[in-house]
Amino acid sequence: MYGFEYSKAASAEAAAQSLKDDEDAKVLAGGMTFIPTLKARLAMPTQVIDLNSLPELSGITVTADTVRIGAMTRHAHVAADADVKAAIPALAYLAGNIGDPMVRNRGTIGGSVANADPAACYPSAILGLGATVHTTERDIDGDSFFTEMFETALQEGELIKAVTFKRPDAAAYMKFPNPASRYAMVGVFLSKGSDGIRVGVTGAAPYAFRFAAAETALNADFSTQALENVTIDPDMLNTDMHATAAYRASLVLTMTKRAVDACL
Amino acid sequence: MTHTITFTLNGEQTTATVTPNHLAVDLLRDDLGKTGTHVGCDTSQCGACTLHLNGEPIKSCTLLAVQLDGTEITTIEGLAKNGDLHPMQAAFKEHHGLQCGFCTPGMIMSGIGIAQRNTTPDDATIRHELEGNICRCTGYQNIVTAIREGAKAMAEV
């Protein structure tokens, strides 16, 4: 690791201001991506501001219509929370299958969403549940949050404070994990609610996206047969050492069908 | 700039002065002599560096030393009480849940976490929850048995 200054955040707003004052400052949430990045000398921040000093950023609030999760809430907490399990069991399942138990004891939803790793699980739920991302500046519609690989709608000096998910009538998360890293080679979060069907896909493309063709087909007929003639263009998908774009295209459809099955 | 941190290490109040770019596992091993916590991969994959932070298993190769401030840390050295092995340690001994032993401290710290989350975990649960611990001897069979029996023994205490 290169050297840097370290401080504990006094508040989310103060941390955001520090980011505005110093463009090379970084905030530390769970650190499950950021600390390995520092160790590999892929980042050289001037200062690291630790958000772990802010318990007010952690916690879960469930209402009749929504589940609000504070940015610093750990994956293990979401996975084990009885209210989340009752309101959106698919979301608890998603959180409980990120990484491994030790990673889930540190990793946070805010860190995962802000980092926007193309293979992270949470982005699929942001899209698949029509979430809203609350920041120190504003509320961002989840549908416009992911913009490029590792790029989001967050501006410099803007910090996520919480995420609110709409409670669906039914939902499922289907993940095809890379056997070594447990990251999603493809993950599909499907929900059925008052706004119709939502299908959020992660792992397949440079950034999470809604599978519009599948949503249209499933809104007309919520069955796996409805997906028989739906295709996805492999040109928009990733190819790497683990899977070709054509294989990922096949996985997206298979995971979507499994998610439909799970909701029937 | 250095930071002076205070934390509880295996029940003892501990103070250390660290630079921000120092890792928790390096502080424990190199500066405080607690070499029971191992570094296998140094990339948060293998779990050999697992210890308990405020009672929960975490990977200490992916934590800054300065983040230990104000926490309660238990390493493998802190499990035995008055010379008596912790039930999970005793189960690893009884069921020979190790070959070369390098991954063992992390396996035991993770195994205790599994037992705390599931009173009587079945083998499928144990295998799933051991995703973050790698045994390069591939001695998983006895590790799973040891955790299953260790969890039973912990429930009886």
Side-chain angles (χ1 to χ4, degrees), chain B residues 16-32:
Chain B
T17 300
V18 297
T19 54
N21 61 348
H22 205 46
L23 290 172
V25 71
D26 293 336
L27 172 71
L28 293 170
R29 287 179 56 82
D30 300 345
D31 304 328
L32 300 176

Side-chain angles (χ1 to χ4, degrees), chain A:
Chain A
M1 267 186 275
Y2 295 110
F4 51 82
E5 296 296 320
Y6 169 92
S7 61
K8 292 178 182 175
S11 69
E13 285 69 21
Q17 189 58 47
S18 300
L19 294 177
K20 286 177 183 167
D21 295 342
D22 177 358
E23 64 176 354
D24 291 322
K26 291 282 180 196
V27 289
L28 171 61
M32 295 297 95
T33 298
F34 185 46
I35 292 176
T37 304
L38 289 174
K39 288 168 68 178
R41 293 192 167 185
L42 295 170
M44 195 167 61
T46 48
Q47 51 171 319
V48 170
I49 303 154
D50 191 349
L51 302 176
N52 288 280
S53 55
L54 302 175
E56 63 271 27
L57 288 186
S58 182
I60 296 168
T61 312
V62 176
T63 68
D65 304 318
T66 62
V67 172
R68 181 186 166 107
I69 302 179
M72 286 297 292
T73 311
R74 320 267 176 199
H75 307 323
H77 182 173
V78 176
D81 189 86
D83 292 336
V84 177
K85 281 182 179 175
I88 317 179
L91 189 63
Y93 171 82
L94 176 151
N97 284 277
I98 296 172
D100 60 54
M102 289 79 89
V103 167
R104 294 195 285 274
N105 279 335
R106 294 299 297 168
T108 66
I109 185 170
S112 170
V113 171
N115 189 47
D117 190 299
C121 292
Y122 266 124
S124 69
I126 298 285
L127 300 174
L129 286 168
T132 302
V133 180
H134 310 288
T135 77
T136 46
E137 309 278 336
R138 58 192 166 135
D139 290 345
I140 304 174
D141 180 356
D143 284 344
S144 56
F145 189 79
F146 302 102
T147 56
E148 291 289 345
M149 185 178 273
F150 293 110
E151 291 287 338
T152 68
L154 291 171
Q155 300 295 310
E156 290 294 323
E158 184 174 18
L159 272 188
I160 298 177
K161 293 179 80 172
V163 177
T164 297
F165 297 94
K166 286 182 203 155
R167 287 176 67 165
D169 299 329
Y173 180 60
M174 289 292 155
K175 172 182 177 180
F176 192 91
N178 177 300
S181 72
R182 275 87 65 188
Y183 268 103
M185 297 226 314
V186 166
V188 171
F189 199 106
L190 182 148
S191 78
K192 196 179 176 199
S194 51
D195 303 341
I197 306 299
R198 282 179 160 267
V199 182
V201 180
T202 192
Y207 56 100
F209 64 94
R210 284 177 71 182
F211 188 5
E215 291 181 359
T216 305
L218 292 169
N219 272 320
D221 171 18
F222 193 73
S223 71
T224 53
Q225 290 85 347
L227 295 169
E228 286 307 322
N229 296 317
V230 172
T231 56
I232 186 160
D233 181 5
D235 284 348
M236 65 171 284
L237 304 183
N238 294 339
T239 286
D240 55 29
M241 64 183 287
H242 305 297
T244 62
Y247 182 49
R248 280 197 165 84
S250 172
L251 282 177
V252 170
L253 275 161
T254 303
M255 293 300 119
T256 305
K257 285 176 187 168
R258 288 185 188 173
V260 171
D261 261 338
C263 288
L264 286 172

